[in-house]
Amino acid sequence: MRPSSPNEQRRVDAAAAAPVNTPVETPAVAALTPEARAWEATAVELKAAGYNAGVVARKLIEQHGAPPADAEALVGRLFGKPVSAFAGDTTSTVVSGLVLCVVGVLGAGLLFAALDDDYARPRKLLLMFPLGALAIGAKRIFFALVNRNVPPGET
């Protein structure tokens, strides 16, 4: 029987050239320590509970004392994809810092709009609160950007 297309001909030629019983190389699996087995069992339970890969890795690190590299590797094998336990930390901290900055600026603007020059002294005292929120937000943004590639336990 003759193949009907050039692609089928290539497949037939490739199948004839390759040996049928080619051994498959499988990497040797290192023996898991009892601690690693416990982490793996916990990760399976957390996955079954509906947590995503990043949350499972973070819980293994923070609650069960797993080293970050081991936890990410274990969860990566379990979920079948690369995992970063600390992805999103910088973004969420920067967003919360921006929210505080906006609250501070809006609060200061409202104070200036609501209180005229007759209330200059109380306005200065009340201005400390929105400016404090602005300063805290700016500090969060600054520290988040400086420490963006450092896991939380190492700062």
Side-chain angles (χ1 to χ4, degrees):
M1 178 184 256
R2 189 179 161 122
S4 61
S5 72
N7 285 337
E8 284 186 37
Q9 179 63 40
R10 288 188 200 112
R11 282 190 212 110
V12 169
D13 292 342
V20 176
N21 293 326
T22 306
V24 177
E25 293 182 24
T26 57
V29 177
L32 291 177
T33 63
E35 192 174 46
R37 283 192 195 115
W39 294 334
E40 187 172 15
T42 303
V44 169
E45 289 173 8
L46 291 171
K47 180 181 179 187
Y51 290 104
N52 67 20
V55 173
V56 172
R58 183 175 302 219
K59 283 183 178 272
L60 286 177
I61 294 166
E62 293 175 355
Q63 295 175 358
H64 301 284
D70 292 345
E72 288 176 352
L74 187 141
V75 173
R77 283 193 310 270
L78 181 65
F79 280 82
K81 63 181 182 179
V83 176
S84 175
F86 305 107
D89 284 353
T90 301
T91 304
S92 63
T93 306
V94 167
V95 168
S96 68
L98 285 173
V99 166
L100 279 171
C101 288
V102 168
V103 166
V105 168
L106 289 177
L110 286 174
L111 274 174
F112 275 103
L115 301 175
D116 58 1
D117 290 335
D118 294 338
Y119 297 100
R121 188 173 184 120
R123 183 173 58 188
K124 287 180 185 175
L125 292 174
L126 291 174
L127 198 58
M128 290 185 339
F129 294 107
L131 292 181
L134 178 69
I136 290 170
K139 181 186 106 178
R140 280 191 184 178
I141 293 169
F142 177 75
F143 282 123
L145 293 177
V146 167
N147 296 322
R148 68 179 167 265
N149 292 325
V150 180
E154 297 179 14
T155 56

